[in-house]
Amino acid sequence: MTVRYGQHLSIKGMNRMMEYEVYPRRWGYGHIITSPIKGSVESIKVESGEKVRTQQLLAMIQDEQSNIKRILSGASGVIETLAVKAGDKVVRGDVLFYIKEDEFVWE
């Protein structure tokens, strides 16, 4: 479900930060972005109707071990629907975003 992992350590809090590029699942003419982990949505970095590109930061999720996971887009297009909001609890496989495919967004 993930393409790459990048681990970053912060000096002050010693919090580990992981990056996840999520493989989108096809949904009609778009993609579904799902959570790769169980945790709590810390922040949403995009809005409905916003154009996004591949590898753009979409959200941050805090897992049960208090590690922050950065969720990166695996597809370009337009955010059609936000299925979660900050503070929501998610498990692996929960839908986070619906992205409408737009081949003219980024070339």
Side-chain angles (χ1 to χ4, degrees), residues 63-86:
D63 69 10
E64 294 176 321
Q65 291 79 33
S66 297
N67 296 321
I68 302 294
K69 314 297 185 190
R70 295 169 41 128
I71 308 302
L72 306 177
S73 175
S76 62
V78 177
I79 300 290
E80 188 165 287
T81 306
L82 300 173
V84 295
K85 62 186 181 309

Side-chain angles (χ1 to χ4, degrees), residues 1-5 18-26 30-36 43-47 50-61 69-82 96-102 105-106:
M1 184 157 190
T2 57
V3 175
R4 79 184 162 116
Y5 297 97
M18 304 283 287
E19 290 184 354
Y20 285 85
E21 181 180 342
V22 180
Y23 276 123
R25 295 187 176 128
R26 295 292 301 165
H31 302 280
I32 298 174
I33 304 296
T34 58
S35 176
S43 62
I44 302 293
K45 302 296 185 180
V46 293
E47 297 178 4
E50 183 176 337
K51 294 178 181 181
V52 295
R53 67 172 81 179
T54 304
Q55 304 228 350
Q56 180 174 338
L57 178 63
L58 299 177
M60 297 178 81
I61 299 176
K69 314 297 185 190
R70 295 169 41 128
I71 308 302
L72 306 177
S73 175
S76 62
V78 177
I79 300 290
E80 188 165 287
T81 306
L82 300 173
L96 302 175
F97 307 98
Y98 293 94
I99 298 178
K100 184 177 180 183
E101 191 172 52
D102 186 357
V105 173
W106 306 103

